[in-house]
Amino acid sequence: MVEGDCDVLVHVVAPPQVKPVHELSHAEWRVALDAGLDQRFHLARDFAAGRRAAGRGGAVIFVGAPEQALGSDQAAAAGALVNLTKTLGVEWARDGIRVNAVLSFEQGETLGNLVVYLASDYAAYVTGAITGVGLDDG
Amino acid sequence: MPVPDHHIIATPPPFEVPPYPADVFAGQTVLVSGGGTGMGLAMALAFAQGGAQVAVMGRSLEKALEGAAKIAALGVKVHAMSCDVRLPEQVAAAFDEAERVLGPITLLANNAGANFPVLAEDISVNAWNAVTRIAIDGTFLCSTEFARRLIARGQGGAIVNNSAQYIWTGFPGDAHSAAAKTAQATMTKKMAREWAPYGIRVNAIAAGFFPHETSTAGRREGGTEVLQNMIPAGRTGSIHEFGWLSAMTCTSFLAGLTGQVILQDGGESLRRSLMMPDYVPPRERVDGPWGWK
């Protein structure tokens, strides 16, 4: 949970192991959705509540793998995350809280630099944006 | 209505404090189509803030020269040219001229565009051709001319295209530009994939509303003030933040970024629900920034 004062929430979920859908148990499905979607929402909600209480804006950046080429559990989580990002970006816009997502298979410098940009005031007009880095579908 | 005081509006740093070092484009030359005014000028200024030499291209040499003077004030070498981006010979000649004066072009900003509010049934063939071909053919011709030269030299580079947020939603009352900008965004992805092996990156900014002196909207009575509260971010965009993001996609900091259409619209295109104001068909719009009667 989010404690103390912070201006930026970066939430990273590393690309998981891909498992064929017919081998996926409900328990495994739940674990993936919990990490890829539920926990992200709860953390972002707590973060936003803290920012509102402080009367200050902030930035949320979700980082994870894109829905393509993943297992069905992660694909569902990533697809939901994309639309959650767009929704929260607008819902919290007037709290000065921006919400963006970066979808990537890599962990290179471009990913880091892009996240730093999105966290900064330079991205003050960027919210609800989904950007891919190092994807194979360019 | 004005934005209520208790809302928090995220704002960018001032123009004087760019997000990258002054030498990030040192030794490089950018060509900006439609770079004399508006969003193209903002792109050109942003590249200049990173130390790039700038070739400014415009339909009108006069406007290109005016923009060039503003860019040169930042202390970089600038060259202004006139060019109709719909004509391949003119595009090739402009690249020749720019490279003769400034050296090899390794960065390209496709910004040239035309746009004006009009009912679909009132769009003339000429108007349709002008708006679509400047954006679609212009982007194609400039990008391929650029890429051919880089590939021949074995040199990498980067392209950024000025797209629009309404590529995902359509734009009633603006069918020509809606079609044109969407084609341009699709092209961005295709070119990115084709040219990735040559180290040429291609990205686009799906821009929202960034008022400037040559934009059609905002020139009505009341200016852009009435627009602020319509946008989730609580304001229209500052044109320099558009310039910065455009230029930044071309920096080595984002060397792994290609084929992306990055949304920068303050949430404008995502604001849709049953809480919206009443729908007014374009032909019945009289007032407002995108009305035309």
Side-chain angles (χ1 to χ4, degrees), chain B residues 44-271:
Chain B
L45 290 169
F47 278 103
Q49 284 185 310
Q53 303 188 110
V54 183
V56 183
M57 215 158 75
R59 283 287 298 285
S60 137
L61 181 60
E62 198 185 351
K63 279 186 185 166
L65 284 166
E66 276 174 31
K70 293 173 188 162
I71 300 157
L74 293 175
V76 299
K77 200 172 171 190
V78 184
H79 182 66
M81 304 170 294
S82 74
C83 176
D84 185 336
V85 294
R86 293 168 292 186
L87 305 174
E89 324 78 57
Q90 286 201 20
V91 169
F95 272 79
D96 281 341
E97 183 179 327
E99 296 201 320
R100 200 163 53 239
V101 177
L102 299 173
I105 295 167
T106 53
L107 306 164
L108 170 66
N110 286 305
N111 161 77
N115 194 6
F116 51 92
V118 61
L119 300 175
E121 66 266 31
D122 292 339
I123 300 177
S124 69
V125 172
N126 279 347
W128 173 266
N129 286 347
V131 171
T132 57
R133 291 184 192 180
I134 290 172
I136 302 175
D137 296 32
T139 299
F140 170 75
L141 292 170
C142 290
S143 300
T144 49
E145 185 66 39
F146 173 81
R148 273 193 295 273
R149 288 167 189 249
L150 288 181
I151 291 166
R153 291 197 293 261
Q155 197 171 19
I159 298 175
V160 61
N161 296 325
N162 179 0
S163 185
Q165 49 83 8
Y166 49 81
I167 59 172
W168 290 297
T169 58
F171 192 172
D174 209 68
H176 46 13
S177 182
K181 289 288 191 181
T182 309
Q184 190 199 37
T186 313
M187 207 187 314
T188 298
K189 298 179 185 182
K190 180 61 184 161
M191 288 173 171
R193 169 157 247 181
E194 279 200 28
W195 295 336
Y198 303 106
I200 300 170
R201 300 186 293 111
V202 192
N203 293 288
I205 311 301
F209 185 46
F210 293 83
H212 50 87
E213 58 196 12
T214 45
S215 60
T216 310
R219 267 191 279 156
R220 307 181 70 81
E221 202 173 336
T224 59
E225 207 45 49
V226 293
L227 293 171
Q228 311 303 322
N229 204 20
M230 296 178 183
I231 298 167
R235 64 179 177 92
T236 52
S238 303
I239 200 153
H240 66 275
E241 60 191 330
F242 166 76
W244 282 341
L245 177 54
S246 303
M248 206 160 52
T249 65
C250 298
T251 65
S252 53
F253 292 113
L254 299 180
L257 188 80
T258 195
Q260 299 302 308
V261 181
I262 303 174
L263 178 67
Q264 186 185 33
D265 76 342
E268 184 192 338
S269 62
L270 300 172
R271 181 185 175 242

Side-chain angles (χ1 to χ4, degrees), chain A residues 5 7 14 24 32 46 51 60 88 112 117 119 123 126 137:
Chain A
D5 189 30
D7 302 298
L24 204 61
D46 287 358
R51 300 312 292 164
V60 177
L88 298 182
Y117 165 74
V126 181
D137 64 341

Side-chain angles (χ1 to χ4, degrees), chain A residues 51 55-57 83 85-87 89-90 93-98 100 106 109-110 113-114 117 121-138, chain B residues 3 7-13 17-19 189 193 209-210 228-229 231-237 241 244-245 248 253-257 260 262-267 270:
Chain A
R51 300 312 292 164
R56 295 169 62 191
N83 225 10
T85 301
K86 295 177 181 178
T87 300
V90 173
R94 291 296 171 91
D95 297 318
I97 299 168
R98 300 178 297 99
N100 294 289
E106 15 174 272
E109 280 186 22
T110 295
N113 290 334
L114 186 60
Y117 165 74
D121 290 341
Y122 289 104
Y125 211 55
V126 181
T127 194
I130 317 297
T131 305
V133 173
L135 305 187
D136 192 33
D137 64 341
Chain B
V3 176
H7 291 182
I8 299 174
I9 309 303
T11 53
V17 194
K189 298 179 185 182
R193 169 157 247 181
F209 185 46
F210 293 83
Q228 311 303 322
N229 204 20
I231 298 167
R235 64 179 177 92
T236 52
E241 60 191 330
W244 282 341
L245 177 54
M248 206 160 52
F253 292 113
L254 299 180
L257 188 80
Q260 299 302 308
I262 303 174
L263 178 67
Q264 186 185 33
D265 76 342
L270 300 172

Side-chain angles (χ1 to χ4, degrees), chain A residues 17 30-31 43 45 47 59 112 120:
Chain A
Q17 201 182 349
R30 266 313 341 147
V31 167
L43 270 173
R45 190 188 55 183
F47 169 80
S120 77

